[in-house]
Amino acid sequence: MYYLRKEPYEQIIPQIEKTDGTIIPERKYIIEDRAIYKHPQFSRFYRGGFVGIEGKYQGMKVYTCKTLKKIKELQKNTFDYCGEMFDIYDENGKVDIDEES
């Protein structure tokens, strides 16, 4: 079974100059571990905090599918929608796409 997940990473927020002349300095921000979830009653997909493959996020389960083709299609659609590229995982960990294709 394949699923989409994005591990936590660090992002830098650039310096902000306010209109009163003060400056908010550049700072680091950590983006939490995320996965793609599917609502059980609707055909909608959601991005949310990853709580494990068996865990639930606001009552939804991690979306899994059997074929690599379908999960790659969802990965592309998610990227087109929000600009966030999720990695493909299976029960053994991260999948190397070059091997599987």
Side-chain angles (χ1 to χ4, degrees):
M1 300 299 276
Y2 297 102
Y3 62 96
L4 293 177
R5 177 180 173 196
K6 188 165 189 171
E7 292 186 351
Y9 64 95
E10 193 175 87
Q11 188 175 19
I12 296 177
I13 299 173
Q15 173 179 307
I16 300 170
E17 294 183 25
K18 295 169 52 175
T19 56
D20 64 358
T22 59
I23 296 175
I24 299 173
E26 181 179 276
R27 60 205 179 278
K28 294 180 182 179
Y29 179 74
I30 295 180
I31 307 295
E32 297 297 324
D33 201 2
R34 299 162 56 88
I36 299 293
Y37 294 86
K38 186 172 186 310
H39 195 283
Q41 298 173 348
F42 305 110
S43 61
R44 297 182 184 145
F45 295 95
Y46 296 91
R47 297 171 288 156
F50 184 67
V51 291
I53 191 71
E54 298 299 323
K56 291 191 175 193
Y57 174 76
Q58 296 182 356
M60 297 179 283
K61 291 184 177 181
V62 172
Y63 178 74
T64 59
C65 64
K66 294 180 182 178
T67 63
L68 187 58
K69 180 180 178 183
K70 186 164 177 122
I71 202 73
K72 286 171 83 174
E73 183 179 309
L74 179 60
Q75 180 187 38
K76 182 188 178 312
N77 290 342
T78 305
F79 180 74
D80 291 344
Y81 171 72
C82 65
E84 197 169 7
M85 182 60 77
F86 284 79
D87 298 319
I88 299 172
Y89 282 78
D90 64 4
E91 58 275 352
N92 298 321
K94 193 172 181 180
V95 175
D96 186 12
I97 300 300
D98 296 333
E99 286 180 9
E100 300 289 331
S101 297

